[in-house]
């Protein structure tokens, strides 16, 4: 076929391929079904945040994160807003600081401001990480600084660990609480060569997700000191997060955590390998060039309208899907996000390399 023959959308072509390079798998009901097949059906569920099922998992995660206490939430959005609300109430200052592309700023419909009347101070330029000097330059009192590791919207970049330690020490000296948006915390441990607990020791409260690198159906943990976690339970109830039973989320979170926590080094190595192959293609550049977790962004020096038919043809010709979407980054460039997981090792490497060699040739025809 020729490019002109292509009539499928990129999403349609992606959904028809034999192999997908990113992620763990599609979000089908079997993600939960596979878990329930391993569970005794007579096991009692949690009940409004209580019971062995939820309490044992919370303690397991508190131990992993090196904190005394942890609370399971249905969403990270809820957990993080509550953590920041608690720190603001305790200090009597309704201001927090975070990156301009923080999830709370761009994906939550101003929930922090509308629900909690908390003002956000945006640190650093949107295309770079927060640095120690940005925190030192703050000219307003804040209750809490939020750091996202890795910084998703700029390709999953990470600061040097020594800078993290310096920011943590600076905040503690000045009575500023430090909160970790660790949605992808487990995925950065291979790069830092630190345990989750070692990283979390720099922070007062920590949030982690169970549907990203872990691949559960939903759910999050907030961890910290017992008095803070007890207060978070009150806010969880106020937010409507105390469902009569959260066990589908808890069981899938625990099951896939136990299944995949030992694979983070593998996912990291796969991401580095894949990024190297993509960077060898004309007109493609990954951000970061060398990934620091299993997640990175792939940038094309062509408009989405030019790239999409090429990726559609690659999907049909080689049966390999890189992405189902492209985001416009400028008039003549586009990008997408890619995370390696269980799917990557199932992709035949000879087929992948052949597809990327073909992609390189096609891009060379388009990129001047």
């Amino acid at each position: 076929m020729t490019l002109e023959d292509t009539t499928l959308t990129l999403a349609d072509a992606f959904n028809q391929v034999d192999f997908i390079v990113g992620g763990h798998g599609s979000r089908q009901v079997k993600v939960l079904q596979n878990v329930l097949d391993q569970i005794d059906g007579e096991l009692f569920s949690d009940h409004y945040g209580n019971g062995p099922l939820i309490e044992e998992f919370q303690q397991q995660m508190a131990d992993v994160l090196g904190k005394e206490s942890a609370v399971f939430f249905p969403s990270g959005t809820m957990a993080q807003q509550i953590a920041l609300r608690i720190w603001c109430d305790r200090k009597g200052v309704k201001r927090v600081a975070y990156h301009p592309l923080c999830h709370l700023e761009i994906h939550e419909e101003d929930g922090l401001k509308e629900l909690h009347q908390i003002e956000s101070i945006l640190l650093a330029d949107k295309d770079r990480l927060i640095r120690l000097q940005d925190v030192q330059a703050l000219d307003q009192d804040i209750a809490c600084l939020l750091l996202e590791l890795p910084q998703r919207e700029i390709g999953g970049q990470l600061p040097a660990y020594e800078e993290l330690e310096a920011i943590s020490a600076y905040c503690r000296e000045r009575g500023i609480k430090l909160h970790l948006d660790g949605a992808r915390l487990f995925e950065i441990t291979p790069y830092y060569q630190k345990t989750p607990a070692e990283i979390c020791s720099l922070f007062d409260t920590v949030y982690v997700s169970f549907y990203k690198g872990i691949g559960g159906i939903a759910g999050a943990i907030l961890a910290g000191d017992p008095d803070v976690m007890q207060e978070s339970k009150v806010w969880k109830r106020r937010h409507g997060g105390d469902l009569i039973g959260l066990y589908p989320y808890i069981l899938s979170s625990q099951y896939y955590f136990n299944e995949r926590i030992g694979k983070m080094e593998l996912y990291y190595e796969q991401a580095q390998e894949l990024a190297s192959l993509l960077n060898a293609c004309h007109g493609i550049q990954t951000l970061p060039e060398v990934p620091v977790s299993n997640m990175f962004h792939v940038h094309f020096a062509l408009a989405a309208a030019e790239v999409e038919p090429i990726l559609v043809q690659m999907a049909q010709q080689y049966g390999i899907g890189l992405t189902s979407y492209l985001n416009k980054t400028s008039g003549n460039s586009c990008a997408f996000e890619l995370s390696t997981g269980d799917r990557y090792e199932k992709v035949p490497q000879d087929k992948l390399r052949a597809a990327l060699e073909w992609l390189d040739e096609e891009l060379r025809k388009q990129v001047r």
Side-chain angles (χ1 to χ4, degrees):
M1 63 178 286
T2 65
L3 293 183
E4 288 72 27
D5 295 329
T6 301
T7 56
L8 285 179
T9 67
L10 180 55
D12 288 338
F14 181 83
N15 289 331
Q16 293 176 18
V17 298
D18 299 317
F19 302 101
I20 294 173
V21 300
H24 295 305
S26 57
R27 295 189 62 77
Q28 297 172 322
V29 172
K30 66 181 180 181
V31 172
L32 177 59
Q33 207 165 28
N34 292 341
V35 176
L36 295 180
D37 286 343
Q38 313 299 318
I39 302 296
D40 179 2
E42 298 302 314
L43 180 69
F44 282 100
S45 75
D46 57 306
H47 186 74
Y48 289 118
N50 297 304
L53 189 147
I54 188 171
E55 290 164 6
E56 289 173 7
F57 184 54
Q58 287 174 163
Q59 188 57 56
Q60 177 188 359
M61 296 315 305
D63 294 341
V64 167
L65 300 173
K67 299 298 183 185
E68 288 189 60
S69 184
V71 177
F72 189 87
F73 283 82
S75 78
T77 296
M78 183 186 298
Q80 295 208 105
Q81 287 186 22
I82 287 172
L84 298 186
R85 174 62 186 262
I86 291 171
W87 292 133
C88 285
D89 284 352
R90 291 192 171 199
K91 191 169 185 177
V93 173
K94 296 282 245 179
R95 278 188 302 275
V96 298
Y98 47 60
H99 193 273
L101 299 181
C102 173
H103 193 280
L104 287 95
E105 190 67 19
I106 66 173
H107 290 305
E108 299 181 15
E109 302 290 349
D110 288 334
L112 192 67
K113 301 164 188 173
E114 295 295 330
L115 297 178
H116 299 283
Q117 294 75 53
I118 293 174
E119 177 187 355
S120 59
I121 307 298
L122 305 183
L123 294 186
D125 298 328
K126 66 179 183 179
D127 58 353
R128 69 169 176 85
L129 295 166
I130 292 173
R131 308 297 301 271
L132 174 61
Q133 53 263 41
D134 298 313
V135 186
Q136 293 171 328
L138 274 167
D139 58 3
Q140 297 184 70
D141 194 17
I142 61 170
C144 182
L145 168 66
L146 179 151
L147 295 181
E148 180 185 356
L149 304 178
Q151 194 73 52
R152 177 194 179 187
E153 299 292 339
I154 55 173
Q157 297 182 53
L158 286 171
Y161 196 74
E162 294 73 21
E163 181 143 38
L164 272 185
E165 292 177 310
I167 292 173
S168 176
Y170 180 86
C171 287
R172 285 177 178 167
E173 288 170 4
R174 284 155 182 79
I176 300 170
K177 296 300 181 181
L178 192 58
H179 172 77
L180 173 58
D181 178 340
R184 296 168 175 81
L185 168 65
F186 304 120
E187 295 92 312
I188 66 173
T189 54
Y191 175 76
Y192 278 144
Q193 288 296 291
K194 303 287 184 182
T195 65
E198 287 173 322
I199 298 170
C200 293
S201 68
L202 303 177
F203 295 84
D204 297 288
T205 45
V206 177
Y207 141 70
V208 294
S209 169
F210 291 106
Y211 71 86
K212 296 182 172 67
I214 297 302
I217 58 173
I221 278 282
L222 183 66
D225 291 341
D227 61 321
V228 179
M229 292 304 99
Q230 192 60 41
E231 194 171 345
S232 80
K233 290 182 179 181
V234 176
W235 278 106
K236 181 183 173 187
R237 176 63 62 90
R238 290 168 176 164
H239 270 249
D242 251 344
L243 309 186
I244 188 171
L246 287 167
Y247 67 90
Y249 309 113
I250 298 167
L251 290 173
S252 71
S253 295
Q254 187 170 40
Y255 176 83
Y256 289 112
F257 174 82
N258 293 337
E259 283 281 303
R260 292 178 173 139
I261 191 61
K263 297 182 179 180
M264 294 301 158
E265 183 86 35
L266 173 62
Y267 301 151
Y268 172 56
E269 292 170 354
Q270 291 171 339
Q272 291 185 312
E273 176 183 88
L274 181 57
S276 176
L277 294 172
L278 289 166
N279 281 314
C281 295
H282 195 70
I284 292 182
Q285 184 174 15
T286 67
L287 181 68
E289 182 176 358
V290 179
V292 293
S293 73
N294 71 321
M295 185 267 284
F296 56 93
H297 290 185
V298 182
H299 290 260
F300 292 89
L302 284 171
E306 297 174 279
V307 176
E308 179 161 339
I310 297 174
L311 294 182
V312 168
Q313 186 173 358
M314 189 183 88
Q316 293 185 315
Q317 187 168 324
Y318 291 92
I320 289 181
L322 286 178
T323 182
S324 63
Y325 72 94
L326 293 167
N327 288 329
K328 176 181 176 181
T329 52
S330 74
N332 57 2
S333 63
C334 60
F336 68 93
E337 183 179 291
L338 186 56
S339 298
T340 50
D342 287 350
R343 276 172 163 165
Y344 185 75
E345 62 185 355
K346 298 174 183 176
V347 181
Q349 288 301 301
D350 57 344
K351 184 182 286 284
L352 174 62
R353 281 165 170 75
L356 293 180
E357 286 174 8
W358 177 89
L359 177 62
D360 175 45
E361 292 175 4
E362 293 301 314
L363 291 174
R364 284 181 185 278
K365 298 175 185 176
Q366 303 292 326
V367 179
R368 300 291 183 261

